Amino acid sequence: MHLAYPAVLAVLLFSVGVYGVLARRNVILVLMSVELMLNAVNLNLVAFDVWLRDTLHTGQALTLFVIAVAAAEIGIGLAIVLMVYRDRGTSDVDRLRDLREDRAGAVTEAAVTGAAVAAGPGTASGGTPHPHTSEREQGNSAGRQTA
Amino acid sequence: MNLAAAHPGFLSPTGVEIVFVLVGVVTLAAAVITVTTRKLVHAALWLVVALGGIAVEYLLLTAEFIAWVQVLIYVGSVVVLLLFGLMLTRAPIGDSPDADSGNRPVALAVALASAATLVTVVVDAFRTYWIDLDASVQGSTAVTGESLFRHWVLPFEALSVLLLAALVGAIVLSRKDGPRAAGPGPVRDPDATGPAAPAAPDQPDTDTGPGSGTDAEGRR
């Protein structure tokens, strides 16, 4: 068999997995795409192990390890997904944006208020955390509506 | 280039190659359907076809043991785990119109670019090499087990520790109350009222969905 056949198939499967990871919104579909990418790598490992006639069978051993690690990864990943779903009511990647930076205007506004607070020790001590919490509550309510 | 003359060309494929290409087309089509369908459960079921096709490819590459491990672990347990995940996160059975996010054209462009680049490189690098499948058995259970337990024993045992850690971690993560809630009563009341409790009145079966499964898992 030509080595190009399994290599090209692995490349195409990997690209399909890349598309799925980037384009999907549900976390579980993203995990499925990750599995596709791992399987593409496994196919490459097996093909090159058979081609090189490795006496240690490094490729097949590494394939078994990748399969086991992928099983562990899917277990932990699904536990995390279930925890996120229980806390947020959604499993969409797009809605989990608590750690994102705010828009540029909001950042400069926070910087300005911070500068104002620094300039004069006045009233607005709890002014900056408010937008964050209200935004998170909005995200939660949106998730609950779709759930 | 003189190596190319020594090997069979692409125009006279062997039977193994024909079967490999046919199964590869089926596998690739199933993978494409997996990442493009709007029905979430159908995506998991097409993933079974893709992973089974890859298992057949392993068999064609004479890696017999890997093929059965693939069937056992991927088709047998990973897909079942994914289906349970879909079920516990209340995935809709029918079409879910928001399965794809807004950056789909960018994702398509990235995937096509990577596919074109990698196919070009791989074909250019490996088109003159030939896998000799008939010389000796490469992946039978005896051969793989011997190499695994003679040369790779220490990584194998480390892998078992990793699996144990993953098991414990999954149980700890999916317990409902967390490690601090060993005392009587719902300890996480102030936290739990925010996200989880308001969903209960309009959906009475909320606590029987993800809660019951993970609760049973936590009590185990």
Side-chain angles (χ1 to χ4, degrees):
Chain A
M1 183 188 295
H2 279 283
L3 184 58
Y5 287 123
V8 168
L9 178 64
V11 162
L12 292 178
L13 275 176
F14 187 84
S15 299
V16 169
V18 166
Y19 169 77
V21 167
L22 292 179
R24 285 303 203 174
R25 182 172 274 166
N26 195 318
V27 186
I28 298 178
L29 293 178
V30 172
L31 283 176
M32 286 184 203
S33 308
V34 169
E35 295 302 314
L36 278 180
M37 294 163 72
L38 286 171
N39 270 285
V41 174
N42 284 344
L43 189 60
N44 254 340
L45 285 173
V46 169
F48 278 80
D49 180 86
V50 175
W51 173 50
L52 293 172
R53 311 206 146 268
D54 190 5
T55 52
L56 295 183
H57 288 294
T58 315
Q60 295 189 20
L62 192 54
T63 303
L64 288 176
F65 292 165
V66 168
I67 288 176
V69 170
E73 169 246 336
I74 211 81
I76 293 287
L78 279 177
I80 293 174
V81 168
L82 287 186
M83 199 171 64
V84 167
Y85 180 78
R86 224 162 42 213
D87 272 354
R88 307 293 173 89
T90 181
S91 58
D92 286 355
V93 184
D94 291 353
R95 292 217 177 89
L96 306 175
R97 44 179 60 192
D98 280 352
L99 288 179
R100 73 165 179 178
E101 286 188 6
D102 287 332
R103 296 181 305 278
V107 168
T108 54
E109 183 187 350
V112 166
T113 52
V117 169
T123 59
S125 64
T128 42
H130 247 291
H132 296 277
T133 55
S134 66
E135 184 178 311
R136 189 187 306 152
E137 281 169 3
Q138 283 170 7
N140 271 340
S141 64
R144 245 181 272 127
Q145 282 167 6
T146 59
Chain B
M1 269 312 141
N2 52 1
L3 278 177
H7 295 292
F10 284 94
L11 291 181
S12 62
T14 61
V16 176
E17 282 179 340
I18 293 172
V19 176
F20 190 93
V21 169
L22 288 179
V23 177
V25 166
V26 171
T27 303
L28 201 60
V32 168
I33 294 174
T34 299
V35 299
T36 53
T37 182
R38 295 188 182 279
K39 297 183 167 69
L40 303 184
V41 181
H42 286 197
L45 296 179
W46 279 108
L47 188 67
V48 172
V49 178
L51 298 177
I54 292 174
V56 176
E57 307 282 40
Y58 290 156
L59 276 182
L60 291 176
L61 285 168
T62 70
E64 175 192 347
F65 183 68
I66 306 285
W68 299 126
V69 166
Q70 168 97 2
V71 170
L72 273 178
I73 293 185
Y74 269 114
V75 183
S77 74
V78 167
V79 174
V80 171
L81 266 180
L82 286 170
L83 280 173
F84 265 95
L86 282 177
M87 191 178 77
L88 292 180
T89 57
R90 237 176 258 290
I93 297 293
D95 274 358
S96 57
D98 59 345
D100 289 328
S101 67
N103 48 12
R104 200 173 160 191
V106 181
L108 193 61
V110 168
L112 285 180
S114 75
T117 310
L118 287 172
V119 164
T120 310
V121 170
V122 159
V123 167
D124 192 37
F126 299 124
R127 75 185 152 184
T128 57
Y129 294 110
W130 178 262
I131 304 176
D132 193 8
L133 292 176
D134 301 327
S136 66
V137 179
Q138 289 292 301
S140 70
T141 310
V143 173
T144 308
E146 192 181 324
S147 77
L148 197 62
F149 288 105
R150 181 166 292 168
H151 304 289
W152 302 101
V153 169
L154 194 60
F156 189 81
E157 299 299 331
L159 194 70
S160 67
V161 176
L162 172 85
L163 281 177
L164 178 67
L167 177 74
V168 174
I171 290 176
V172 167
L173 278 178
S174 59
R175 281 180 62 178
K176 194 163 189 179
D177 294 329
R180 288 166 299 153
V187 177
R188 273 189 68 213
D189 249 346
D191 286 341
T193 47
D202 48 350
Q203 287 181 347
D205 56 341
T206 297
D207 285 334
T208 63
S212 67
T214 52
D215 203 8
E217 214 171 311
R219 280 180 196 151
R220 202 186 297 154

